[in-house]
């Protein structure tokens, strides 16, 4: 069994670098983006950040790109 992580869960997902399914640390990161330079309106976009526990490759994926 893997070591317990109190706040992070390990998700087994495919890793491009490893070329295999590996355990990933998954966390949610809120990134502030400016949609337009002329507009002062900012949007906060949630990103799903996964880090491969084997090779350390970090992948960010926007969550609301429907
Ligand atoms: Zn990997």
């Amino acid at each position: 069994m893997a070591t317990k992580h109190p706040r992070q869960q390990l998700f087994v997902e495919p890793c491009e670098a490893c070329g295999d399914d590996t355990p990933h640390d998954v966390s949610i990161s809120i990134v502030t983006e400016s949609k337009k330079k002329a507009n002062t309106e900012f949007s906060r976009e949630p990103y799903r950040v996964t880090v491969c526990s084997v090779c350390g490759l970090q992948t960010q994926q926007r969550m609301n790109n429907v």
Side-chain angles (χ1 to χ4, degrees), residues 15-20 22 24 52-57:
C15 174
E16 288 184 18
C18 293
D20 201 353
T22 60
H24 285 70
C52 176
S53 65
V54 176
C55 72
L57 178 72

Side-chain angles (χ1 to χ4, degrees), residues 40-54:
T40 56
E41 185 174 323
F42 290 87
S43 64
R44 291 181 179 178
E45 304 291 346
Y47 277 73
R48 187 173 183 271
V49 182
T50 61
V51 181
C52 176
S53 65
V54 176

